[in-house]
């Protein structure tokens, strides 16, 4: 049941204060990042999408990251014991009625899972066994699961993920039998993105995965995703990733299960 809503649990540990920097790329999922004894400084605007993690005396912070339109750069300046919960697109509304706008500006997002969230996090972080941490997270998530995802939204996400056509908003609205304004409201409330941004990001992730698999020439990848102008293809790809497709292939440090990261320092595990 939980697999419909959560893609992965990720665990990061770094025992020292040496600098580690990494970058990730736009996706339609959301990451709930939980930190122990760290300060989080996040800047997101038209020119920057950057997070600085440093030492702090406070016990726990939990931040929601997502809806990126450019690469997400992270600098870690302290020891780190971090848990990330990666939610499927639109899945967070199955656990909470809080608005995305409020959650994205909050420092204690994990509170949506109960008043005793601090105690729950103490229990999780006290366990050094990562498999047991995952089991405890699964139990908390399952106990808070409220399935309310609208059927029209499920249909829309299926059309986008499985459709071979390059969907426009009008085409998608017609397939669903609703008006474009209704489609816009459906996505903004349940996904947190407008449908055009969601479709464009989904297209980028498909292209990124195909490039990393290295099964086709870049020209074939571009044509398969309805880019018939190579310059347009490279411009769009660079807007999302910060690199041309050829540059990115040589930069990727980690690729696993549709995750792709660039590490400037390998002092991590």
């Amino acid at each position: 049941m939980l697999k419909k809503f959560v893609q992965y649990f990720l665990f990061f540990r770094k025992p020292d204060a040496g600098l580690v920097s990494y970058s990730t790329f736009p996706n339609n999922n959301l990451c709930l990042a939980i930190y122990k004894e760290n300060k989080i400084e996040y800047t997101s605007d038209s020119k920057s999408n950057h997070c600085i993690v440093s030492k702090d005396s406070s016990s726990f912070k939990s931040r929601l990251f997502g809806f990126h339109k450019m690469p997400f750069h992270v600098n870690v300046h302290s020891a780190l014991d971090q848990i990330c919960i990666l939610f499927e697109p639109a899945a967070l509304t199955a656990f909470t009625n809080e608005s995305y706008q409020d959650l994205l500006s909050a420092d204690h997002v994990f509170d949506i899972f109960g008043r005793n969230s601090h105690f729950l996090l103490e229990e999780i972080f006290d366990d050094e066994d990562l498999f047991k941490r995952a089991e405890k997270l699964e139990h908390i998530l399952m106990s808070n699961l409220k399935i309310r995802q609208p059927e029209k939204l499920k249909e829309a996400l299926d059309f986008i993920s499985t459709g071979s056509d390059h969907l426009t908003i009008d085409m998608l609205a017609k397939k669903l039998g609703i008006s474009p304004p209704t489609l816009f409201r459906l996505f903004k409330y349940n996904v947190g993105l407008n449908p055009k941004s969601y479709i464009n990001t989904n297209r980028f992730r498909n292209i990124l995965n195909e490039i990393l698999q290295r099964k086709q020439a870049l020209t074939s990848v571009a044509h398969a995703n309805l880019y018939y102008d190579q310059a347009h293809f490279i411009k769009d790809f660079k807007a999302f990733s910060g690199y041309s497709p050829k540059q990115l292939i040589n930069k990727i440090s980690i690729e696993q299960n549709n995750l792709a990261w660039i590490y400037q320092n390998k002092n991590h595990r």
Side-chain angles (χ1 to χ4, degrees):
M1 173 69 75
L2 202 58
K3 289 182 179 179
K4 296 179 182 178
F5 304 97
V6 175
Q7 290 183 335
Y8 312 104
F9 296 135
L10 299 178
F11 302 96
F12 299 90
R13 281 177 172 170
K14 187 168 81 70
D16 56 61
L19 173 65
V20 167
S21 300
Y22 65 87
S23 302
T24 63
F25 307 105
N27 205 342
N28 282 322
N29 56 17
L30 282 173
C31 174
L32 174 53
I34 307 166
Y35 305 86
K36 183 178 181 180
E37 298 179 349
N38 290 119
K39 178 182 178 181
I40 313 303
E41 300 173 84
Y42 180 46
T43 303
S44 180
D45 52 39
S46 60
K47 296 181 179 179
S48 177
N49 190 30
H50 189 235
C51 181
I52 299 174
V53 181
S54 55
K55 179 68 176 176
D56 192 25
S57 58
S58 61
S59 53
F60 300 108
K61 285 189 174 66
S62 48
R63 293 293 306 263
L64 196 65
F65 296 108
F67 308 147
H68 304 305
K69 295 182 180 179
M70 63 180 75
F72 179 42
H73 304 294
V74 181
N75 287 343
V76 183
H77 295 269
S78 66
L80 185 71
D81 187 3
Q82 179 187 354
I83 296 170
C84 289
I85 306 172
L86 271 67
F87 291 94
E88 294 281 0
L92 200 59
T93 54
F95 299 93
T96 179
N97 289 318
E98 294 284 338
S99 72
Y100 286 111
Q101 185 175 358
D102 291 340
L103 292 174
L104 286 168
S105 61
D107 282 330
H108 300 283
V109 178
F110 196 79
D111 287 354
I112 65 176
F113 297 113
R115 294 180 181 177
N116 60 342
S117 60
H118 183 93
F119 172 74
L120 294 174
L121 289 176
E122 285 279 10
E123 274 199 332
I124 293 169
F125 277 88
D126 282 348
D127 202 326
E128 293 294 317
D129 187 322
L130 300 185
F131 290 101
K132 290 182 179 178
R133 284 190 181 189
E135 288 177 355
K136 290 175 180 178
L137 287 169
E138 288 175 356
H139 177 74
I140 293 167
L141 291 171
M142 285 299 298
S143 64
N144 283 272
L145 185 58
K146 313 171 187 69
I147 304 174
R148 301 184 308 274
Q149 199 174 71
E151 288 301 319
K152 288 294 182 183
L153 180 64
K154 293 179 184 177
E155 290 180 38
L157 297 179
D158 284 343
F159 276 132
I160 294 170
S161 64
T162 62
S164 57
D165 295 329
H166 181 34
L167 283 172
T168 65
I169 302 305
D170 288 339
M171 289 168 60
L172 182 57
K174 187 175 181 179
K175 283 178 178 289
L176 298 171
I178 59 178
S179 67
T182 299
L183 177 66
F184 182 90
R185 290 191 295 270
L186 182 71
F187 268 73
K188 284 295 287 184
Y189 179 79
N190 292 283
V191 181
L193 289 170
N194 65 59
K196 183 176 180 180
S197 293
Y198 184 93
I199 289 171
N200 288 341
T201 303
N202 185 74
R203 187 188 193 191
F204 163 73
R205 293 303 303 197
N206 288 339
I207 292 170
L208 177 62
N209 291 337
E210 289 174 22
I211 287 173
L212 295 180
Q213 289 171 9
R214 298 174 177 85
K215 292 181 179 179
Q216 298 185 67
L218 290 179
T219 303
S220 299
V221 172
H223 287 172
N225 288 276
L226 303 183
Y227 280 103
Y228 301 108
D229 181 335
Q230 193 74 1
H232 184 200
F233 168 60
I234 293 173
K235 180 182 177 182
D236 278 6
F237 188 88
K238 198 168 184 178
F240 276 102
S241 70
Y243 299 95
S244 72
K246 288 183 178 179
Q247 289 173 331
L248 189 66
I249 289 173
N250 296 323
K251 287 280 187 178
I252 291 293
S253 305
I254 296 177
E255 25 173 321
Q256 183 180 19
N257 296 330
N258 293 329
L259 298 174
W261 299 346
I262 294 175
Y263 266 89
Q264 280 73 49
N265 185 311
K266 302 291 181 67
N267 183 22
H268 67 279
R269 61 174 178 156

